[in-house]
């Protein structure tokens, strides 16, 4: 192959790669802010708070019972027979085990409930972001809330388009940045 043909191919390759790079369109959005603006998030927050408070109320009742039984044990153990002391000590120990198990189950239940409540919200936001990305012919959309976006240039903030898609026009993110 002649030098002229090689040079021509090199120029075509360079132009083609520049053309390819020119076709890339970048966008970004802060998904945490977006989710925080969605009315479903407030409802999910409230529901999760009530659920957590109910579990905490039950835990406090169990702890109160434990404290009462332990106080009773401390004040009366000298007058009890060995059999009664052993029975009451076992009762307190079993109650403590039940409390520990309840706390573990409660943490699991809270995590499961949170997943149930927030997954549809995240899915709805993700769907809207993907629709805007397709409509706007974006190659990549970066999530600014993930903390991975350290620098941006020639990237469109698609927040307003996604807000419009979700009928959130006029809604601003929560002041505390909380979802």
């Amino acid at each position: 192959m002649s030098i002229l043909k090689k040079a021509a191919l090199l120029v075509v390759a360079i132009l083609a790669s520049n053309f390819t790079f020119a076709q890339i369109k970048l966008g970004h959005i802060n998904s945490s802010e977006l989710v925080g603006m969605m009315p479903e998030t407030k409802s999910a927050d409230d529901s999760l708070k009530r659920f957590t408070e109910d579990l905490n109320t039950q835990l406090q009742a169990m702890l109160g019972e434990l404290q009462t039984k332990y106080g009773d044990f401390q004040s009366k153990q000298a007058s009890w027979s060995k059999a009664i002391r052993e029975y009451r000590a076992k009762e307190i120990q079993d109650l403590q085990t039940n409390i520990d198990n309840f706390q573990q189950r409660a943490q699991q239940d809270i995590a499961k409930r949170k997943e149930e409540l927030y997954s549809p919200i995240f899915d709805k936001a993700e769907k809207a972001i993907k629709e805007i990305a397709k409509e706007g012919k974006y190659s990549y959309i970066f999530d600014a809330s993930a903390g991975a976006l350290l620098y941006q240039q020639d990237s469109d903030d698609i927040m307003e388009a996604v807000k419009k898609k979700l009928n959130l026009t006029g809604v601003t993110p929560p002041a505390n940045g909380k979802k």
Side-chain angles (χ1 to χ4, degrees):
M1 192 184 292
S2 72
I3 292 180
L4 188 55
K5 285 184 179 180
K6 287 182 182 178
L9 284 175
L10 182 61
V11 169
V12 169
I14 290 171
L15 288 175
S17 68
N18 284 341
F19 179 76
T20 302
F21 287 122
Q23 297 298 325
I24 293 176
K25 188 173 178 184
L26 304 176
H28 66 275
I29 189 166
N30 186 323
S31 65
S32 292
E33 282 184 8
L34 175 66
V35 169
M37 289 184 265
M38 296 171 68
E40 300 95 325
T41 300
K42 170 86 170 96
S43 175
D45 288 345
D46 293 344
S47 179
L48 186 62
K49 182 179 178 185
R50 283 189 307 273
F51 185 77
T52 303
E53 287 171 351
D54 288 347
L55 289 171
N56 193 44
T57 299
Q58 179 62 37
L59 176 62
Q60 293 306 314
M62 293 170 77
L63 289 170
E65 180 183 358
L66 176 65
Q67 189 173 13
T68 299
K69 287 185 185 245
Y70 184 73
D72 191 47
F73 181 85
Q74 291 290 77
S75 67
K76 297 178 182 175
Q77 70 175 330
S79 64
W80 290 339
S81 69
K82 182 179 178 186
I84 293 175
R85 275 194 312 272
E86 287 175 358
Y87 174 79
R88 296 294 174 122
K90 173 86 168 93
E91 187 178 42
I92 291 169
Q93 194 174 34
D94 289 347
L95 185 54
Q96 181 63 55
T97 300
N98 288 340
I99 290 170
D100 293 342
N101 290 338
F102 178 82
Q103 286 177 313
Q104 288 177 341
R105 283 191 313 270
Q107 290 297 328
Q108 293 168 351
D109 289 350
I110 290 169
K112 182 180 177 187
R113 180 70 169 195
K114 187 173 185 178
E115 176 73 20
E116 291 169 355
L117 291 168
Y118 291 100
S119 284
I121 298 168
F122 296 144
D123 291 347
K124 183 177 179 181
E126 182 181 7
K127 180 180 178 209
I129 291 167
K130 286 180 178 178
E131 288 175 4
I132 293 300
K134 286 178 184 172
E135 291 169 10
K137 295 181 175 39
Y138 288 92
S139 303
Y140 299 96
I141 301 293
F142 297 95
D143 188 352
S145 69
L149 188 61
L150 302 176
Y151 174 78
Q152 79 185 46
Q153 180 180 349
D154 299 330
S155 173
D156 299 332
D157 185 351
I158 64 167
M159 179 68 81
E160 291 305 316
V162 175
K163 283 172 54 178
K164 185 176 179 182
K165 172 78 64 185
L166 294 171
N167 295 318
L168 297 174
T169 52
V171 179
T172 57
N176 60 4
K178 211 178 140 186
K179 64 175 174 82

